Amino acid sequence: MNSPNPDNPILIVDNDPKILAAVETVLRMAGFDNITAIQDSRDVIRTMERRIPGLVLLDLNLPHISGDHLLKSIRKTWPRIPVIVLTGNVEVDTAVKCMKIGAMDYILKPVDQDRLVKSVKQALGGGQAPGQLSKPMHQELFAQIKRPSAFKNIITQDSQMHAIFHYVEAVAPSPQPVLIFGETGVGKELIGQSIHNLSGRKGKLVKVNVAGLDDNVFSDTLFGHVPGAFTSARNARPGLILKASGGTLMLDEIGDLALTSQVKLLRLLQEGDYLALGSDITRHSDTRIIASTNQDLWALEKQGKFRKDLIYRLSTHTLTLPPLRERLLDLPLLLDRFICQAADELDKPVPDIPKSLIETMETYPFKGNIRELKSMVYDAMSRYQGGAISAGLFNVFTRADHGSGASLPLDPGLPTLKRAANELIEKAMAHTGGNQSAAAKILGISQQALSKRLQKLRKEG
């Protein structure tokens, strides 16, 4: 029996519990035991991020998030996962549309049992199902990546990022340096890891932040020292260059490197040679250098703070990572991933994410990018009590600015978050006839938190 791999379940998505039960029964009778049924379309992406399925059976007519939208998201993020569409719509245009997006097959409801089992077997076996267009998955940019597993830690469906993945695959085997530009928190270190993973180099990836290192500390850190090199140097220190031998050395914050240290790094890049402190024996290194920075090196060069020849040496291969505000398609995915992680670590239930929260976040500049988003989520989840997670739990959205000194573009007719929260509390109390326990359940907060809020309201009133 061609049953799915235990690590890759079959995912069935349909808002009708009867359909879910019927399809699941048919598949189990056919020998497919690893099945996950989902009734709420909002749980699909979250479930797939936690455990990637081997196949998705997807209903088109779904509330909350449409089947069309889910199909597009799945094709972009997991282009090699086959999707079979289940629908009661008999129109040819619908079938053609699904196939163009990337569905492997299209099955009408009520589902014919033999047809369903045959299509599932074909999908899991890698065969081409009836009606499939010629390799529709490969129409997506991400599907053209040869080793997507090298980017498994980078959550994205953004076309800019997928283009960068292609570039990374192309330059990774090269021994020449790579220079990565990008704002703080965009994921430069993750890209550096991907480059190393794809390089085929047998040595380690060693990372060091060179910001704030004076020349002696820089030299000692990278090149090491011999005994007696300085007063406290009783034992030899190999240095990170030697530790990364045959591998990759990633130098973060390269724009802050002192000019005297830049000369030594330039020699290493030009000749592959270096001297340990206190030694007159030249050593040769085969370490590949990756450098990253959030600064404009050419602007620093004009200021006399960075060597032009070093820029040329470092930038044999160059890439620039877009900030989060320029890849907003990734915001829901990242938000969901961090919420799930935080909930797991804090031993709390995973909350629903309202569309209003995502819309609020899309107006935020995220100067700290993905790192800032993660910190915001963990802070919000530490105070989360229940119900859907709201903007009110994110401190940054309750302030008068987005941390930039500029006022938020709020509609004057809209209530402030504080006033809106107070109104919700008053309505909940009125609805329950003053029963705090019942009102707290409606609001998704603890009775203690509601009691404190009511006391504050009375004082303010």
Side-chain angles (χ1 to χ4, degrees):
M1 176 59 61
N2 187 10
S3 57
N5 186 297
D7 294 328
N8 302 105
I10 297 175
L11 198 65
I12 310 172
V13 185
D14 200 301
N15 65 306
D16 188 333
K18 292 181 180 179
I19 296 292
L20 277 179
V23 172
E24 183 172 354
T25 299
V26 170
L27 293 179
R28 290 192 183 280
M29 289 177 65
F32 298 97
D33 297 323
N34 194 351
I35 297 172
T36 300
I38 296 180
Q39 191 172 339
D40 191 329
S41 60
R42 294 170 293 188
D43 295 333
V44 173
I45 299 300
R46 183 177 305 179
T47 301
M48 291 181 69
E49 285 180 346
R50 288 175 174 172
R51 193 176 185 192
I52 297 176
L55 168 67
V56 179
L57 299 175
L58 179 65
D59 179 32
L60 281 187
N61 188 22
L62 295 169
H64 306 303
I65 302 176
S66 70
D68 286 0
H69 184 82
L70 280 175
L71 178 57
K72 290 176 183 177
S73 296
I74 293 169
R75 288 275 57 81
K76 287 181 179 178
T77 310
W78 298 280
R80 288 178 173 81
I81 296 177
V83 178
I84 297 173
V85 167
L86 307 176
T87 182
N89 193 332
V90 297
E91 292 182 4
V92 175
D93 288 347
T94 304
V96 172
K97 180 181 178 183
C98 291
M99 294 301 174
K100 284 183 176 179
I101 294 173
M104 184 174 185
D105 202 356
Y106 182 94
I107 300 177
L108 293 175
K109 298 178 186 178
V111 175
D112 179 88
Q113 296 184 18
D114 292 338
R115 173 90 164 84
L116 174 65
V117 172
K118 181 180 178 181
S119 185
V120 168
K121 286 181 179 180
Q122 205 158 10
L124 294 173
Q128 197 168 20
Q132 184 184 4
L133 295 181
S134 177
K135 297 184 179 180
M137 297 179 188
H138 295 273
Q139 295 174 0
E140 298 290 349
L141 183 61
F142 187 62
Q144 299 167 17
I145 295 171
K146 297 175 183 176
R147 290 179 56 190
S149 60
F151 306 98
K152 63 183 180 181
N153 294 323
I154 303 175
I155 302 170
T156 184
Q157 58 181 350
D158 181 77
S159 59
Q160 297 176 82
M161 291 298 295
H162 290 166
I164 289 171
F165 291 173
H166 281 274
Y167 182 73
V168 166
E169 280 198 324
V171 305
S174 166
Q176 296 300 316
V178 179
L179 182 57
I180 305 172
F181 290 101
E183 296 178 8
T184 297
V186 294
K188 297 187 290 292
E189 188 174 314
L190 291 177
I191 286 292
Q193 181 71 61
S194 296
I195 293 171
H196 176 72
N197 292 346
L198 290 164
S199 68
R201 303 181 72 84
K202 297 180 180 179
K204 299 178 181 178
L205 169 64
V206 178
K207 306 168 188 175
V208 60
N209 189 319
V210 300
L213 300 183
D214 63 34
D215 184 53
N216 287 331
V217 175
F218 171 81
S219 299
D220 191 26
T221 301
L222 260 67
F223 308 132
H225 64 252
V226 297
F230 44 88
T231 306
S232 60
R234 297 181 180 178
N235 300 312
R237 180 182 182 180
L240 297 184
I241 287 290
L242 190 59
K243 187 177 179 181
S245 180
T248 306
L249 179 66
M250 185 167 183
L251 306 175
D252 193 20
E253 306 293 355
I254 194 69
D256 294 318
L257 189 63
L259 282 169
T260 47
S261 300
Q262 291 178 31
V263 175
K264 296 174 182 177
L265 179 59
L266 181 62
R267 182 189 180 199
L268 176 70
L269 292 171
Q270 286 178 330
E271 304 168 17
D273 295 334
Y274 68 97
L275 291 171
L277 289 178
S279 174
D280 56 2
I281 299 175
T282 300
R283 297 180 180 180
H284 186 77
S285 171
D286 61 352
T287 304
R288 203 260 189 89
I289 301 294
I290 297 176
S292 62
T293 181
N294 58 9
Q295 301 189 61
D296 182 342
L297 296 187
W298 289 110
L300 292 178
E301 187 273 328
K302 290 180 181 178
Q303 299 169 25
K305 296 180 180 179
F306 209 91
R307 296 180 62 96
K308 181 185 293 186
D309 47 5
L310 181 56
I311 297 176
Y312 285 129
R313 282 290 175 181
L314 287 171
S315 59
T316 302
H317 307 299
T318 305
L319 60 92
T320 301
L321 298 181
L324 181 55
R325 61 183 172 275
E326 291 180 10
R327 41 182 282 212
L328 291 178
L329 274 178
D330 292 339
L331 184 56
L333 295 177
L334 291 163
L335 178 61
D336 190 78
R337 170 61 63 87
F338 296 147
I339 284 176
C340 290
Q341 288 178 351
D344 182 58
E345 292 177 25
L346 298 172
D347 195 23
K348 292 189 175 186
V350 178
D352 289 333
I353 303 172
K355 185 179 179 182
S356 57
L357 175 59
I358 295 174
E359 290 173 344
T360 300
M361 285 189 161
E362 286 175 343
T363 68
Y364 184 73
F366 285 107
K367 292 185 176 181
N369 291 286
I370 298 167
R371 187 180 299 141
E372 182 181 8
L373 173 62
K374 184 174 183 178
S375 297
M376 287 166 57
V377 168
Y378 271 71
D379 179 61
M381 283 299 296
S382 68
R383 288 176 278 109
Y384 170 74
Q385 296 295 324
I389 190 167
S390 66
L393 288 173
F394 293 80
N395 287 331
V396 68
F397 299 131
T398 61
R399 296 201 294 262
D401 61 76
H402 274 346
S404 61
S407 297
L408 289 174
L410 294 176
D411 185 334
L414 293 174
T416 62
L417 288 172
K418 181 178 178 181
R419 197 171 88 217
N422 290 344
E423 289 176 1
L424 283 174
I425 290 171
E426 290 170 357
K427 288 180 180 178
M429 288 295 290
H431 181 74
T432 60
N435 186 319
Q436 289 190 22
S437 177
K441 288 182 180 178
I442 292 174
L443 294 167
I445 61 177
S446 67
Q447 186 175 345
Q448 184 180 9
L450 176 59
S451 180
K452 288 182 179 179
R453 188 75 187 188
L454 287 170
Q455 289 176 11
K456 190 173 180 180
L457 276 173
R458 293 187 191 106
K459 289 179 181 178
E460 292 173 353

